[in-house]
Amino acid sequence: MVMTKHSLSTVKNENERKEYKEIISQLQKKMKMKEMACRLAKVGSWTLDILTNQFEWGEEAARVFEMQAETAYDNQLIMNLFSDSSQKRLTIAINASIKKSEPFSLELEMTTLKGTHKWIRTNGVPLYDQATITHIEGGVQDITELSLVKNRFEKQERIFESFFQVIPDFFFLFDRDSTIRDYRAQSRVNLYATPEMFINKRIDEVLPFETAQLYKESLKKLSENSQMDVFEYDLFIGETKKRFECRLNKLLNNDQYIAIVRDITEPYNASLSLVQSENRYRNLLENSPFPIVITRISDNSLSYCNKRAKEQLGCLGDEAIGISAELFYQSNADRDEWVSKLFTEGSVSDSEIQLKKMNGDPYWALMSASIVDFANQPSILVAINDITNRKEVENKLKTSEEKYRLLTEFNSDVIWVLNLTKDKFTYVSPSVEGLTGYSADEIMSQSIESIMTPESAVILRETIKRHIDYFYKNRSFTPSQMIEVQQYHKYTDKIWIEISMNYRINDLNEFELVGVSRNAEERKKKENEILNRSYHDPLTGLYNRRFYEEEVKRLDSERNLPISLITADVNGLKLTNDAFGH
């Protein structure tokens, strides 16, 4: 039936009143479904008005592009954000969508309005009005982190970040005592009071007593059970009475509360929004870059799969619909644990779990889910991200790290890494205790000057400085050198060690010195013994002729002149030597 702009109170016919309520109820459900899908799939929505040639953005899409949400932007301004090649591909795709009614899905390179370089995945679908294409609507997702992780994950794990986004008409952020700490309102919203009156004021200072009490009672409920509370109230904006719906919830890991408020005064606008929301919701889910499935809680069967989900599960058409979701898990125990967490917390985000396709092929997935109402049945909305390649990289990294650990722990030589940018040891192998008596932790907490003799510390510092200066002038050259220094021993004063060194730049663009230390005490003792024998007579222990010749060379300098040499036969030994030989 055709709806008119009457308030619910002016509808006299009981059937019309019920129909209005059903429209409002459906709108609320679809809006919640859309918001949950956006959060779980991490996909924003955008719209291109073909007549005005302007883009409009949802909250999540605006976050990706770093621009104002639900603000119209000129087509050329948006296109200029993309690289030349991406701009050409997007232009061709949009033109084909307009002229040939073709949907598209692209991965593009761009720079946001704030200058941030990003990679995005976007898709678009043409929308009709009486057989004429008037808009193109689509989804957009920031895949920059996914692109970077392919290169970075050889050395470190990927850290996935989760976020919570809502798209309200306007919202308020409360402390436990109902003090308003923040607000957000669209420019078209006519607030009860000016924004300046809200901040740092309690709710009962800015709203009528009855309305403020509703908020306070809701805050009290949330402090006790942490379950989202929904309530409605009437409020006069100027001379107009309006009906509002408030959804109040507690922020995770925070003693603050967020209130999402909607104006539900106009049933006609509600019915129109329902139709638009339904179309966008379907387009967003069906063309999402991530696989999305919905399962019924009552029998665990699949009730919906988008295009990407069908590809991921390896099914044709709707053959997966009605199949038990349990068939797609490699381990029932893992599934039971995951579902238990979902029912306990109400939602899960980025959980790693092993799945399998319809043909039995296994794969690793990162799953986020929330409990929703779909087709009038309690259901689970799940976003799936295939991370099989990432897990393979992790396993290779783990194997490599285990080999490195065994090599360093069971080697008698000490391997260490000194971050020269921070002037701090970042790694010392356990074998250092056998070399110096100090544990690896004790060495890592000390500086070069505290573990070496002053002379040796100077030698090492000068060597490092010389090589760093050369390295910065010639990056293609990585100098290495072996030096001998004295290091303090925990129990025997000090020992001689032999150090082999090399230099590198780490992932954080910091300068590092990688060294291997080896005990040189015995070798130094033998060298000193040989040197001592070369300058002393083995029978008497006195200096020999070689020492005498070396001293003559050393003393024969201008600063020592005049100089004299006196020889004397103090005990008649020369006669004996001449007669019997040395």
Side-chain angles (χ1 to χ4, degrees), residues 117-263:
H117 179 266
K118 288 187 177 183
W119 279 90
I120 65 166
R121 183 182 289 125
T122 187
N123 55 70
V125 178
L127 296 183
Y128 291 84
D129 183 5
Q130 298 181 355
T132 301
I133 298 176
T134 60
H135 294 78
I136 297 178
E137 290 194 352
V140 61
Q141 183 180 32
D142 186 346
I143 61 170
T144 306
E145 189 67 22
L146 295 177
S147 298
L148 294 176
V149 77
K150 294 177 183 178
N151 297 325
R152 296 179 58 191
F153 214 90
E154 294 179 0
K155 297 182 179 179
Q156 61 181 0
E157 295 182 355
R158 177 184 175 195
I159 301 175
F160 289 89
E161 297 181 346
S162 61
F163 63 91
F164 176 77
Q165 290 287 342
V166 293
I167 308 176
D169 291 324
F170 53 94
F171 77 81
F172 295 98
L173 187 67
F174 296 100
D175 286 341
R176 181 191 292 269
D177 63 354
S178 80
T179 300
I180 303 171
R181 295 304 183 187
D182 197 7
Y183 78 96
R184 179 179 298 177
Q186 300 172 358
S187 58
R188 61 182 176 83
V189 174
N190 185 16
L191 295 175
Y192 178 78
T194 61
E196 292 76 14
M197 292 181 61
F198 287 121
I199 302 301
N200 297 325
K201 299 289 185 62
R202 289 195 305 275
I203 194 72
D204 54 8
E205 294 179 310
V206 293
L207 289 180
F209 176 80
E210 294 80 7
T211 306
Q213 285 301 112
L214 290 175
Y215 277 89
K216 286 187 173 183
E217 291 172 4
S218 182
L219 288 172
K220 183 178 179 181
K221 291 179 184 177
L222 287 172
S223 66
E224 295 172 352
N225 56 33
S226 298
Q227 296 296 320
M228 184 176 70
D229 192 28
V230 181
F231 58 94
E232 297 179 6
Y233 57 91
D234 293 323
L235 196 64
F236 279 93
I237 305 298
E239 297 180 357
T240 305
K241 183 179 180 180
K242 288 183 173 291
R243 184 77 174 176
F244 293 95
E245 178 198 67
C246 177
R247 290 172 294 149
L248 197 61
N249 206 351
K250 185 176 182 180
L251 294 179
L252 295 177
N253 302 321
N254 200 329
D255 198 19
Q256 289 185 314
Y257 305 81
I258 184 171
I260 310 298
V261 182
R262 289 197 181 108
D263 183 349

Side-chain angles (χ1 to χ4, degrees), residues 377-392:
Q377 293 195 36
S379 304
I380 301 175
L381 178 67
V382 185
I384 304 172
N385 182 14
D386 188 340
I387 59 169
T388 304
N389 292 336
R390 198 200 80 183
K391 293 296 291 186
E392 291 177 355

